[in-house]
Amino acid sequence: MNQYNFNVFSPPEFEEFSRDLLQEHLQISFESFKDGKDGGIDFRYSVNLVNNIIVQCKRYKDFETLFRELKKEIKKVDKLIPERYILSTSVDLTKHQKDEILKLFNGYIKKNSDIIGSKDLNNFLSKYPKLEKKYYKLWLSSTNVLTNILHGSIYNRSDFTQEEILKNISLYVENTSIHESYSILSKYNYVIISGIPGIGKTTLAKMLIYKYVSEGYKLIQISRDIDEAESVFIRGENQIYFYNDFLGKVFLEQKLQKNEEIRIIQFLRKIKKDKSKKLVMSTREYIFQQAKSYYDEFEKLDSCIIDLEKYNEKIRAKILYNHLFFSDVPQEYIERLIQRDNFIKIIKHRNYSPRIIEFLTFDYEEYCDNGQNYFNSFMNLLNNPKKLWKRPFEKHITLVSRYFLRVLFILGGYAHTDDIKKALESLIAYENKSYTISYHREDFFNSLVELNKSFINNENDLITFQNPSIQDFLLYNIASNIELITGLLESALYFDQLFTVFGSPKSKTGRLNVNKSIMKVIEQLILERFESLRYSRFARSNKSLNENFNKLMDINNFFHFESFPEIEKLYVEKLQSEVNKNNDSEVVHLLSLISNVKDQITWDKDKLVLSLIDSIDSLDNTDDISLLEELFPEEYDEFHYEIESKFEEMINWEIFIIDEEDIDELNDLKDKIEHIELNFSMSFCTQITDLEDMIEELENNNEDEVKEKQVIIDTRKEINFQNQKDDLIAMFRSLKK
């Protein structure tokens, strides 16, 4: 039997749970009352308007507190004169303690069994498995399940401590998204969670993860790209992958690695077929929309998107209530929020987010000096959420730590300890030309300690930001400081520092665009340090290509050459050197680099085209052939037969290995072949006919089944807030002690 910790509930949640449990146990329906001052009744069962059965729920951690509160209830009970009075409490009671309560209530409680303590609740609950499933946060926090989670095989498990797990479970407010996302995950084996920053995507993802890890799944956290998941994929072994912010933490990565979007789609298909695998991915909604416009493959994922962009007011209120209840916010602060129903202005604010709620409750001292200012502090951050980290950044960490965070930011928020140490010391040396900045040998390691678990995570010499909102703030903090931007660039030790954050008019990914003077700084750095600037070890460069090739790709993505002739000259010189190497493995990338300077490059076109044809290994990878046709129509026509033969070879192989029982895959392959026919003036009638026959046979076999509709989840239904206002006011007033 599971041993549940009922203190994972807030008081309103414990009342709701007790009501459902006793209704099931007694086979009667109770009348419920709004939260707040209840006159001694949480819910009742009555006939002919008489208080036949009254239930009172008390969620406390110890008997002393419980008994003290029960003494206050006697006068209320004397007025009600119930035929039967039942007490439900989260406290684990001994026989002696029950006897004391029985004596206190002097005949209103008829028998010890109407005093229901923690052990009794656990006993009842074991009889009603439906309730176990309904109250998922109770189930996840049980001793047995928690042990399974903590003792399970978890890679990168620092975020999965008992303290963090219980905190996440306690604070989470149930809404339709948890059930709908679980349904999608069960159906597809993967789910993508999207929403605005700070809306609770990671918390929802973790709730899903806890469930599967408790059932024996091994958790693998993916940090960089989908190849990490492929490298530890074990067929038949229960594994759940967690890929948080898979398209970037603040903005769409300047470039996914070549065909990374295709590898993601292919891995999703692989996951979909293997019931022993689950994949949970999250992303900011605006980044996902950018990705869909940039990569056609992501358009196909609409059916598995959970939109968490907007909570209704009831959910918002419960989130705020839970955070206040489970945090250490002083009573005088809470009184300020309750005063004049100020909390309603918070939950209705256009910038409301669980992230701001968390910071103003669990870290309230960082943002507020006294209770009188507590409500104003809430409203100030809601009015300007970009300042969420302003005070901690400016007031609570050292100057060296502030430089540390800026360097980590322009390294992409993902850096090795040694790399960031060198980059930091380079920046401080540059700044010391104009300012006096104290820096000693131990300062770097002091900053590591100071920032760890508040601003950064430091695991196995890998440093990342604790929260994407820190990067939001740093973007805001740096954007208008041209002098600081210049220093960050001039002191750069790594090539990726020039491009990871800063964007040009050519950028399409929402980066920090810089003015002409800063563009000139970047140009000069490249001209002077092209060879000496290396990539940091965790740079988002293509590891299969040599360093110079990656540099050329970055330059090509960043500059309009007509405005930067010196850069174009360097680019052509270095590109010609790569062309002369005749490296077949780089030919696919070479084509796009040559495209805008093709008349300035000397190269063996026939060799390049044949190498390009040979390199194509997937029907998803036809863009390069389209580019070849566009840039070099003569060569395309000359080798048209070879290209068509290559496509036919791949199509026949795809048909050979396809799952003939998967109608989605059959239709997908048919669409790809028809796309190739249309775009490359080729004919594959035989292959298309074969696929149509297989599809028709499957459709005939399944003609009695209703065609599955696309699952699009929208959790943004509005509710009539006014009708709930009184209930919410009563709930928050119950926080008064």
Side-chain angles (χ1 to χ4, degrees), residues 280-461:
V280 180
M281 308 169 79
S282 73
T283 181
R284 296 179 175 207
E285 180 64 22
Y286 69 87
I287 295 178
F288 193 68
Q289 294 305 322
Q290 288 178 14
K292 287 196 291 186
S293 65
Y294 206 68
Y295 302 105
D296 292 339
E297 290 292 338
F298 288 131
E299 287 288 347
K300 302 175 184 178
L301 301 178
D302 278 351
S303 61
C304 291
I305 296 299
I306 298 174
D307 187 353
L308 298 175
E309 184 175 348
K310 192 174 183 182
Y311 292 113
N312 63 43
E313 282 84 353
K314 185 176 181 180
I315 297 298
R316 293 181 177 202
K318 286 184 175 181
I319 291 172
L320 176 58
Y321 180 96
N322 278 6
H323 278 74
L324 289 169
F325 181 82
F326 286 105
S327 69
D328 296 323
V329 175
Q331 187 64 27
E332 62 172 306
Y333 286 53
I334 294 175
E335 295 279 352
R336 189 65 176 174
L337 287 191
I338 298 173
Q339 183 182 10
R340 294 193 294 274
D341 304 325
N342 283 332
F343 74 91
I344 291 176
K345 297 176 183 176
I346 294 173
I347 65 177
K348 295 189 73 173
H349 199 285
R350 68 186 185 280
N351 292 330
Y352 173 99
S353 80
R355 177 172 294 155
I356 291 178
I357 301 303
E358 180 178 5
F359 278 94
L360 265 299
T361 51
F362 282 85
D363 296 302
Y364 67 93
E365 292 174 303
E366 298 285 346
Y367 303 96
C368 184
D369 296 325
N370 58 71
Q372 290 298 312
N373 294 330
Y374 191 46
F375 171 68
N376 291 334
S377 297
F378 252 109
M379 296 306 294
N380 287 338
L381 275 186
L382 287 168
N383 290 331
N384 195 346
K386 289 183 178 179
K387 293 184 177 180
L388 187 66
W389 290 95
K390 188 176 190 300
R391 181 168 176 173
F393 181 81
E394 293 179 351
K395 304 295 184 182
H396 299 295
I397 59 175
T398 63
L399 178 61
V400 171
S401 291
R402 295 200 288 274
Y403 279 117
F404 182 115
L405 293 174
R406 288 162 175 157
V407 169
L408 178 59
F409 179 59
I410 68 166
L411 280 167
Y414 195 93
H416 190 277
T417 306
D418 289 344
D419 289 347
I420 196 169
K421 182 175 184 293
K422 292 174 183 176
L424 173 64
E425 290 172 352
S426 178
L427 174 60
I428 289 176
Y430 176 87
E431 291 285 275
N432 267 316
K433 295 176 182 178
S434 303
Y435 309 102
T436 301
I437 300 175
S438 175
Y439 182 81
H440 302 90
R441 183 176 301 166
E442 66 275 9
D443 286 350
F444 175 78
F445 299 101
N446 290 340
S447 285
L448 273 179
V449 173
E450 179 180 47
L451 297 172
N452 198 33
K453 299 307 178 186
S454 56
F455 285 85
I456 65 170
N457 288 319
N458 179 18
E459 294 179 32
N460 301 320
D461 289 327

Side-chain angles (χ1 to χ4, degrees), residues 43 71 316 344 387 444 454 553 580 592-593 642 720:
F43 41 90
K71 288 179 180 179
R316 293 181 177 202
I344 291 176
K387 293 184 177 180
F444 175 78
S454 56
M553 292 174 69
N580 294 341
S592 60
L593 295 183
E642 286 81 356
N720 188 335

Side-chain angles (χ1 to χ4, degrees), residues 480-651:
S480 59
N481 193 334
I482 300 301
E483 184 182 10
L484 177 58
I485 291 174
T486 302
L488 289 167
L489 290 168
E490 291 280 10
S491 66
L493 294 181
Y494 306 105
F495 202 80
D496 39 304
Q497 287 178 271
L498 309 183
F499 301 103
T500 303
V501 170
F502 303 112
S504 72
K506 197 172 184 180
S507 300
K508 299 180 180 180
T509 55
R511 285 174 144 62
L512 175 59
N513 287 332
V514 294
N515 60 25
K516 291 182 179 180
S517 65
I518 296 299
M519 288 287 289
K520 282 292 184 182
V521 171
I522 296 174
E523 176 191 29
Q524 199 60 36
L525 287 169
I526 293 172
L527 293 174
E528 294 176 357
R529 305 186 206 170
F530 182 87
E531 297 295 342
S532 62
L533 287 175
R534 313 298 299 271
Y535 282 96
S536 64
R537 68 193 74 191
F538 290 132
R540 288 188 177 273
S541 56
N542 193 322
K543 304 303 181 185
S544 66
L545 302 177
N546 70 56
E547 195 166 72
N548 277 358
F549 216 106
N550 276 299
K551 290 178 181 179
L552 292 174
M553 292 174 69
D554 278 333
I555 292 171
N556 187 50
N557 290 331
F558 192 82
F559 287 100
H560 287 295
F561 289 152
E562 60 269 22
S563 301
F564 296 91
E566 291 299 313
I567 284 288
E568 181 181 24
K569 181 179 178 182
L570 174 72
Y571 179 84
V572 170
E573 174 191 335
K574 300 299 181 182
L575 182 58
Q576 183 66 65
S577 176
E578 296 303 321
V579 169
N580 294 341
K581 293 177 182 178
N582 293 320
N583 190 337
D584 289 346
S585 66
E586 296 174 345
V587 66
V588 172
H589 306 277
L590 194 62
L591 189 65
S592 60
L593 295 183
I594 289 175
S595 62
N596 58 348
V597 292
K598 62 179 182 178
D599 296 332
Q600 302 180 56
I601 299 292
T602 303
W603 52 298
D604 186 336
K605 296 181 181 179
D606 289 355
K607 179 175 174 33
L608 183 142
V609 172
L610 289 171
S611 296
L612 178 65
I613 295 170
D614 189 57
S615 71
I616 299 173
D617 56 5
S618 168
L619 295 180
D620 294 308
N621 192 8
T622 60
D623 290 345
D624 297 302
I625 297 298
S626 298
L627 184 58
L628 175 67
E629 182 181 16
E630 176 187 341
L631 296 176
F632 309 107
E634 293 182 7
E635 285 73 15
Y636 175 83
D637 290 339
E638 181 181 349
F639 290 97
H640 188 270
Y641 175 77
E642 286 81 356
I643 295 171
E644 186 171 13
S645 297
K646 179 68 179 219
F647 278 146
E648 184 173 17
E649 175 189 329
M650 289 190 297
I651 290 169

Side-chain angles (χ1 to χ4, degrees), residues 226-227 257-267:
I226 208 67
D227 288 343
Q257 290 190 23
K258 181 71 174 179
N259 297 324
E260 169 72 2
E261 77 284 0
I262 294 172
R263 288 198 292 273
I264 290 174
I265 298 297
Q266 290 173 339
F267 188 73

Side-chain angles (χ1 to χ4, degrees), residues 151-165:
H151 291 178
S153 177
I154 299 178
Y155 303 130
N156 302 331
R157 57 182 296 157
S158 66
D159 291 339
F160 293 86
T161 63
Q162 180 167 330
E163 181 182 0
E164 280 298 310
I165 291 170

